[in-house]
Amino acid sequence: MANETTGSERVRPFDAANYLRTPKRQAAYLAAALETEDEAYIKQALLTLARAQGMSVTARAAKVSRQGLYKSLSATSDPRLSTFLSVVQALGFQLTVQDTGAIGKA
């Protein structure tokens, strides 16, 4: 078969950060994560983007330590809004609000 491996081939785990090299791709990735409204997925997306741009660079721009950035975006964390906003800004993005038409329909 054409897909068999010989045992000498190495398969690297998929890392989305390797494919998020342009600001356009990064913005689309973050927008898609935010649309899910899934907190864990949004934190994972921010972590992936921070790795794509460089953890040390992102941490410095967000005014947190590299370790603090990892901790804030870990699966078990509940980052403060100020941390979330500083990371988004450090990554070069801004959040905007759009009317969904749901106001007053509850």
Side-chain angles (χ1 to χ4, degrees):
M1 284 187 175
N3 291 335
E4 288 183 22
T5 61
T6 62
S8 63
E9 299 170 1
R10 290 189 178 192
V11 178
R12 288 187 225 152
F14 176 78
D15 185 357
N18 294 328
Y19 300 92
L20 298 169
R21 296 295 180 204
T22 67
K24 185 175 180 178
R25 284 184 180 182
Q26 293 174 1
Y29 184 71
L30 182 56
L34 290 168
E35 285 177 8
T36 70
E37 298 181 11
D38 181 329
E39 293 177 35
Y41 186 67
I42 293 167
K43 285 189 295 185
Q44 182 60 46
L46 288 171
L47 182 60
T48 300
L49 290 169
R51 287 188 301 98
Q53 292 189 19
M55 286 300 288
S56 295
V57 172
T58 303
R60 199 169 21 258
K63 297 182 173 83
V64 297
S65 69
R66 188 172 186 265
Q67 182 181 10
L69 183 57
Y70 273 111
K71 184 177 178 180
S72 294
L73 300 177
S74 74
T76 58
S77 74
D78 190 8
R80 297 173 56 148
L81 179 60
S82 59
T83 302
F84 171 77
L85 294 174
S86 67
V87 171
V88 170
Q89 184 177 13
L91 291 169
F93 303 111
Q94 69 179 19
L95 298 178
T96 59
V97 176
Q98 180 177 343
D99 179 8
T100 63
I103 296 175
K105 293 185 180 183

